Amino acid sequence: MPASPLSAESSAPDTSGLVIEAGVNLKPYNTFGLPAVAQRLVRIREAADVRRVVDHPELGRAPKFVLGGGSNLVLTRDVDAVVLKVEIQGIRLLETREDAWIVEAGAGVAWHDLVCWTLDHGYPGLENMALIPGTVGAAPVQNIGAYGIEVKDRLEAVEVMDLITGRPALLPADVCRFGYRDSVFKHSDFGGLAGKSVITRVRFRLPRPWQPVLGYLEIERKMAETGITQPDARQIFDWIVAVRRAKLPDPKVIGNAGSFFKNPVVSAEQCKDIIGRDPGIVHYPMPDGSVKLAAGWMIDACGWKGKTVGGAAVYDKQALVLVNKADARGAEVVTLARAIQESVYGRFGIRLEPEPVVL
Ligand code: EPU
């Protein structure tokens, strides 16, 4: 993995500042609001805390689980691994280049707060990704995206701390192997970094001059409704916030982890076959000739909106989102998800892949 060392962070071991909490209820720390207990939890408030964990006589060798905003997580059991809860704060303009502003944010900053900060300070470019739940550190892990932009399109570099050596490294965007809701941070094999490193800070590249990213159906609809043909970044932000509020549940009100399944990508032939049987299927041709299918449409077509398993339910305004309707347990969410997968496979011959990590 090509990476340049960050000398300032590799200071001497120091275990004195660590607070190890025992028996911590994780319900407030996952957006699904699922119950689970962390046997041991350590708050990472600065990158050096990771080094302190690595050098700690007991924690150093123990398995670890990195928790960001808990927005992409289904907890089905208590967690034996040491939970590292990343709470690193801070946002700053790092550099003004001729062609971009470089903004750096701590991994524990709430994603939407970063979007607001960049707009308030005159560095637009993240507005299409407004209101995505989770933290800055979780954003590159699954390459979050919405309304025509993915985080990879705005990413300069990711600062990580190695969980074996306790050393920092700066990973440029091109080594992060970004794909659709995918990155090097999601995999543990083939040189992947899952479970091997902690993202501490993220650097964003916001191109100058700013160009709006339009063309997405719902933005075009807003342009037609309002007659605004050249929206500024703030206008796009307002539209995206309105669109998301109308169809996605607010995790503060009703627990959820965003889209529960990825939109599957199939070959043109396979898509033709499905269209033959289901002419209404929503699909998007991809530049490489493959076709992305709308999983939400397929789940909806199988009649799942509003259906429940225990306290878990399919959201009634967007079938791609599973919600915690009433004190759901992780096992109920998983049972519901499996039933949906079977039903979609039965009708369309497509295996849906979950987006969140199931623990
Ligand atoms: N649809 C239905 N019924 C439903 C849900 C969707 O018919 O119950 C149809 C919609 O009418 C639309 C199509 O399916 O024609 C696609 O739905 P939508 O535009 O809502 O987008 P999506 O494919 O469901 C994706 C991302 C979202 C992102 C939006 C906007 C994934 C898995 N999801 O959703 O990301 O906000 O596009 O860009 O790629 C997330 O990943 O957590 C997430 C919310």
Side-chain angles (χ1 to χ4, degrees):
M1 173 65 51
S4 52
L6 292 177
S7 53
E9 299 279 1
S10 41
S11 54
D14 172 11
T15 55
S16 61
L18 280 187
V19 179
I20 305 163
E21 296 169 49
V24 179
N25 178 8
L26 294 176
K27 198 168 173 169
Y29 299 148
N30 70 98
T31 60
F32 236 119
L34 299 171
V37 172
Q39 309 303 350
R40 287 179 295 179
L41 180 143
V42 176
R43 288 171 205 274
I44 303 298
R45 296 200 167 104
E46 54 176 341
D49 285 340
V50 178
R51 179 65 184 264
R52 295 184 180 108
V53 168
V54 169
D55 289 336
H56 192 277
E58 285 163 49
L59 302 183
R61 285 168 181 223
K64 298 172 189 72
F65 179 76
V66 181
L67 180 64
S71 60
N72 199 39
L73 180 64
V74 179
L75 289 167
T76 61
R77 55 183 165 83
D78 292 344
V79 187
D80 294 327
V82 178
V83 174
L84 304 182
K85 186 163 184 300
V86 182
E87 297 183 348
I88 300 168
Q89 296 300 311
I91 310 175
R92 62 179 175 144
L93 178 70
L94 203 62
E95 199 186 331
T96 302
R97 293 184 195 155
E98 207 163 299
D99 61 347
W101 296 284
I102 308 297
V103 169
E104 185 193 71
V109 171
W111 172 262
H112 186 68
D113 290 351
L114 170 68
V115 176
C116 295
W117 187 96
T118 52
L119 285 181
D120 290 347
H121 288 76
Y123 317 124
L126 299 179
E127 56 283 347
N128 290 47
M129 293 184 282
L131 225 56
I132 295 181
T135 54
V136 164
V141 177
Q142 67 150 11
N143 185 24
I144 61 169
Y147 306 101
I149 304 190
E150 292 179 335
V151 131
K152 74 168 173 55
D153 304 324
R154 298 285 181 266
L155 201 116
E156 171 76 0
V158 180
E159 281 185 32
V160 298
M161 291 289 278
D162 189 292
L163 273 173
I164 305 291
T165 63
R167 288 230 177 87
L170 186 63
L171 308 179
D174 60 359
V175 303
C176 295
R177 291 195 231 145
F178 288 120
Y180 167 57
R181 297 295 185 276
D182 200 23
S183 77
V184 73
F185 307 105
K186 240 182 149 173
H187 299 272
S188 49
D189 49 2
F190 305 112
L193 294 175
K196 294 177 193 155
S197 65
V198 180
I199 295 173
T200 50
R201 290 189 184 278
V202 183
R203 295 182 188 177
F204 299 90
R205 184 176 33 76
L206 307 174
R208 301 172 67 193
W210 172 79
Q211 299 271 354
V213 176
L214 307 169
Y216 208 92
L217 185 68
E218 278 146 312
I219 302 182
E220 282 184 349
R221 207 175 277 151
K222 290 281 184 196
M223 288 166 68
E225 273 167 27
T226 58
I228 299 171
T229 53
Q230 292 185 315
D232 62 10
R234 179 66 65 174
Q235 179 64 75
I236 295 173
F237 172 90
D238 289 342
W239 285 341
I240 301 287
V241 166
V243 165
R244 290 188 73 97
R245 288 219 167 109
K247 70 173 186 188
L248 292 169
D250 178 354
K252 285 185 198 121
V253 181
I254 179 157
N256 73 90
S259 299
F260 198 90
F261 299 101
K262 292 187 189 183
N263 286 329
V265 177
V266 299
S267 66
E269 296 77 61
Q270 211 178 348
C271 182
K272 220 170 134 197
D273 195 40
I274 296 172
I275 291 173
R277 282 177 280 128
D278 277 285
I281 190 163
V282 176
H283 60 286
Y284 316 95
M286 306 295 282
D288 66 356
S290 61
V291 183
K292 194 183 264 188
L293 304 175
W297 185 91
M298 289 192 275
I299 299 167
D300 195 3
C302 293
W304 281 100
K305 259 185 193 162
K307 291 274 162 60
T308 60
V309 169
V314 180
Y315 193 51
D316 47 15
K317 291 188 205 144
Q318 160 57 295
L320 196 52
V321 178
L322 304 191
V323 296
N324 183 348
K325 205 171 176 191
D327 292 325
R329 305 192 65 82
E332 292 167 345
V333 175
V334 170
T335 304
L336 178 58
R338 288 209 180 116
I340 291 170
Q341 281 171 313
E342 273 172 34
S343 129
V344 166
Y345 185 74
R347 172 153 169 193
F348 298 99
I350 301 283
R351 288 191 195 282
L352 293 181
E353 195 187 321
E355 246 198 41
V357 173
V358 178
L359 197 71

